[in-house]
Amino acid sequence: MKSPLLSLPGAVPAEGVDEGVAAHYGDLFREQRALADGSGFVDLSHRGVLTVSGEDRLSWLHLLLTQHVSELPPHQATEALVLSAHGHIEHALYLVDDGETVWAHVEPGTQDALIAYLESMKFFYRVDVADRTGDIAVVHLPAGSIAEPPEGVVVRETPYGRDLFLPRADLESYAGKNGPAAGLLAYEALRVEHHRPRLGFETDHRTIPHELGWIGTAVHLQKGCYRGQETVARVQNLGKPPRRLVFLHLDGSEVHLPPHGTELRLADEGPEGRKIGFVTTSVRHHELGPVALALIKRNVPVDAPLMADSTAAAQEVIVEP
């Protein structure tokens, strides 16, 4: 779904899964600094939006999600995962309940599969699941923003900022009153700085929550059964995850950033060395320079210099080995 804000001056469209919104509006670092200072907003209107209403909504979702939501207070933000039977991450939801309805935004294009799964699990529960992507747009206000959300708009407030569930028809008028707009590249740079994983970027078909540090933030360890819980409990109580998320400081002399999927090797083994992981997201940060998130084998020494193709990289621990 193409955002009307792509008509703003300087807008350069994002590509791939983020197609439909602006990657930037002509000045990446200015936009990053504005967000870091609590100014402006980010157009996330390409993300999927769904709602769950009905008196059983919280108790029902509690059975399906990794997060404890049966007693979720109104207006308290949380995040949760849907796992496969083997504990692999399938969906990530960013939730808030307004007292009558649970609102969630998800990765672009994943809402159809998620809604199909939820519909298949309704049974006798008094719930109604709706796809609101067509009429609701997500807008992100950075931490520290003093902008007042429009009256009646559902707000999801987190330490990293506020997500507004804004009527899509109001997106252009909102932008005209609350600019300047910052592009998705600026938003992603701050996400990487804060070590926040993203489905489809930091995950692959076999990722489990422990590998990304999602235990605690998106997975509650003291709740009842849900699909994939056995894997979560086994790794938590008896072992370690096979991989771990790391933060990489990249060689700033390189012109190009290593793209998603770039293989990582130990620097002392050279370009023919064994693969020990891959780059998940790489960005240019306004203060830190070129940095990245990566998923590597758990037993890689924390002080080992790495190579992302031809780019030297120094790791910083996010998930303990």
Side-chain angles (χ1 to χ4, degrees):
M1 189 171 294
K2 185 176 179 180
S3 171
L5 303 192
L6 285 172
S7 64
L8 292 178
V12 174
E15 299 177 345
V17 69
D18 291 320
E19 183 180 3
V21 296
H24 62 84
Y25 296 91
D27 193 337
L28 172 61
F29 291 147
R30 177 190 60 77
E31 294 165 32
Q32 280 189 40
R33 288 191 290 268
L35 290 182
D37 291 339
S39 302
F41 69 93
V42 183
D43 176 12
L44 299 179
S45 61
H46 63 316
R47 290 185 65 81
V49 177
L50 60 102
T51 57
V52 181
S53 56
E55 59 185 287
D56 293 336
R57 65 190 184 282
L58 291 176
S59 58
W60 177 67
L61 286 172
H62 186 80
L63 299 174
L64 305 177
L65 305 180
T66 57
Q67 187 58 271
H68 196 301
V69 297
S70 61
E71 299 170 7
L72 184 67
H75 313 298
Q76 179 176 306
T78 191
E79 55 190 77
L81 307 174
V82 172
L83 305 182
S84 73
H86 298 292
H88 301 137
I89 300 169
E90 293 189 344
H91 295 281
L93 299 84
Y94 300 85
L95 308 166
V96 68
D97 184 84
D98 67 4
E100 297 181 352
T101 300
V102 173
W103 294 75
H105 64 82
V106 298
E107 288 298 322
T110 65
Q111 65 271 16
D112 289 347
L114 175 58
I115 289 172
Y117 168 67
L118 295 177
E119 288 285 354
S120 73
M121 301 299 290
K122 285 172 67 172
F123 303 115
F124 55 85
Y125 289 93
R126 293 163 294 184
V127 294
D128 182 62
V129 181
D131 184 353
R132 302 297 302 275
T133 309
D135 63 304
I136 298 293
V138 179
V139 171
H140 175 77
L141 300 178
S145 171
I146 60 173
E148 288 293 331
E151 186 176 354
V153 167
V154 175
V155 179
R156 180 178 176 273
E157 186 161 0
T158 77
Y160 307 104
R162 289 173 288 169
D163 299 332
L164 312 185
F165 291 88
L166 186 74
R168 192 172 288 275
D170 296 343
L171 188 56
E172 284 187 275
S173 61
Y174 180 86
K177 300 173 184 176
N178 296 276
L184 196 68
L185 290 181
Y187 178 85
E188 285 288 278
L190 299 188
R191 177 180 72 81
V192 170
E193 177 191 6
H194 294 136
H195 305 166
R196 297 170 59 208
R198 182 179 174 190
L199 183 77
F201 287 71
E202 280 62 59
T203 68
D204 59 18
H205 67 284
R206 58 192 180 96
T207 306
I208 61 175
H210 301 76
E211 296 177 323
L212 304 184
W214 251 330
I215 300 297
T217 58
V219 179
H220 196 287
L221 295 174
Q222 306 298 323
K223 61 161 288 188
C225 293
Y226 55 88
R227 192 173 70 177
Q229 186 194 18
E230 288 185 4
T231 297
V232 171
R234 184 168 61 250
V235 174
Q236 184 70 21
N237 297 322
L238 301 176
K240 295 281 189 177
R243 302 177 296 181
R244 58 186 177 88
L245 188 68
V246 296
F247 182 77
L248 298 181
H249 295 272
L250 303 172
D251 181 0
S253 65
E254 294 286 338
V255 175
H256 300 290
L257 291 171
H260 172 83
T262 299
E263 294 184 352
L264 288 166
R265 291 175 169 79
L266 294 171
D268 61 6
E269 292 187 2
E272 302 304 319
R274 59 195 171 93
K275 176 186 173 183
I276 53 90
F278 64 95
V279 173
T280 59
T281 306
S282 59
V283 298
R284 296 192 186 278
H285 191 276
H286 70 287
E287 290 183 340
L288 301 174
V291 293
L293 296 176
L295 202 56
I296 67 173
K297 292 182 178 180
R298 178 178 57 84
N299 59 1
V300 173
V302 298
D303 57 351
L306 307 179
M307 294 294 295
D309 197 4
S310 61
T311 302
Q315 59 172 305
E316 185 176 309
V317 173
I318 297 176
V319 175
E320 294 290 337

